[in-house]
Amino acid sequence: MAGRLDGKIAIITGASRGLGQYCAVQYAKEGAKVVVAARTEQERDPRLPGTIHDTVRMIEEEGGEAVAVACNVGDVESIEAMVDTVLSKYSRIDILMTNAAVQPPGFINTIQPRHWELEFKINVHGPFHCCRAVLPAMVEQKSGNIINISSVAADRGQSHYGATKLAIEAMTRGLANDMKDDGIVVNALKPVGGIDTPGIRFGRAPGQVGGATPLGKMPPPDSYVEAATLLAMQTVDTCTGGIFNDVEAVERFADAETVARLAAVQPV
């Protein structure tokens, strides 16, 4: 059912490839004007294909509207400049998805300290500063929807990446409570299992974060992008402060036909 996000202005960070790109394309199909915000303007490694301009092109080829804005979520000034660009063009921001993240190699006892600090800078401080940057516009509108992206690594709590995602989930609950009276929704979404992306196939050592590089067929992003769309439709009266994997979100918010259709492609 197209048009569920008609007229909405949506920012998605880390949307040059992978889950962010999937959601950007889906949001555009649902009628949103999508701001594709990421660092990658030129492909530098064929193992990690995709740029902000590629994502915009994919959206435009489907008849949607998108704009590419270079943004490094590890740099507060870059985030603020990106938000200023969006407000200058569209005068409002309805949806923010904080998808950008990094996942350095190693275990907690072996990760290089500079990588530990970088991981928190991108995965935790980045979403914090992105949220803070859009809040003034959302408060003025008395509406807005923030979706922070977590991971099943937060459930396991056994890795440095999981530590950053646990922090994201705690921040989500706290910010939702802070902003409820202003009409601003804040929820978190995570994939229930591996979804085929360039990042997940990038090459990982067995036993390290994310496990071995997958070789076989993985589920398509259908369930995940549907969950992302459903969360973008929530209000403070329907759901805020929730932490969902895509299966949970679909089962809670979708109709029975959609739940049954997506069950066939969800991981067992």
Side-chain angles (χ1 to χ4, degrees), residues 22-35:
Y22 294 148
C23 289
V25 172
Q26 182 64 25
Y27 277 14
K29 287 180 180 178
E30 295 288 353
K33 297 176 175 63
V34 181
V35 177

Side-chain angles (χ1 to χ4, degrees), residues 74-111:
D75 183 331
V76 178
E77 290 184 359
S78 180
I79 292 170
E80 292 175 345
M82 179 270 292
V83 170
D84 287 345
T85 297
V86 177
L87 291 174
S88 177
K89 183 174 179 63
Y90 293 116
S91 302
R92 64 182 293 115
I93 297 168
D94 299 295
I95 302 164
L96 167 68
M97 175 182 285
T98 63
N99 171 76
V102 296
Q103 191 168 306
F107 302 94
I108 292 176
N109 67 320
T110 60
I111 185 174

Side-chain angles (χ1 to χ4, degrees), residues 174-222:
L175 187 59
N177 184 65
D178 293 343
M179 304 311 301
K180 187 172 184 178
D181 291 344
D182 289 294
I184 299 169
V185 178
V186 189
N187 290 301
L189 173 65
K190 51 192 165 187
V192 71
I195 296 172
D196 202 350
T197 67
I200 203 169
R201 292 193 181 276
F202 184 68
R204 307 170 186 211
Q208 292 192 348
V209 180
T213 303
L215 299 175
K217 184 177 179 180
M218 288 182 288
D222 302 46

Side-chain angles (χ1 to χ4, degrees), residues 123-138:
N123 297 6
V124 181
H125 303 165
F128 167 79
H129 288 299
C130 286
C131 291
R132 289 290 293 267
V134 304
L135 283 179
M138 289 184 173

Side-chain angles (χ1 to χ4, degrees), residues 4 9 26-27 45 47-48 58 74 92 138 169 171 175 188 194 224 248 250:
R4 291 179 291 177
I9 308 302
Q26 182 64 25
Y27 277 14
D45 188 331
R47 294 174 300 171
L48 291 174
M58 292 169 67
R92 64 182 293 115
M138 289 184 173
E169 294 186 2
M171 184 184 78
L175 187 59
Y224 186 82
E248 293 167 339
V250 168

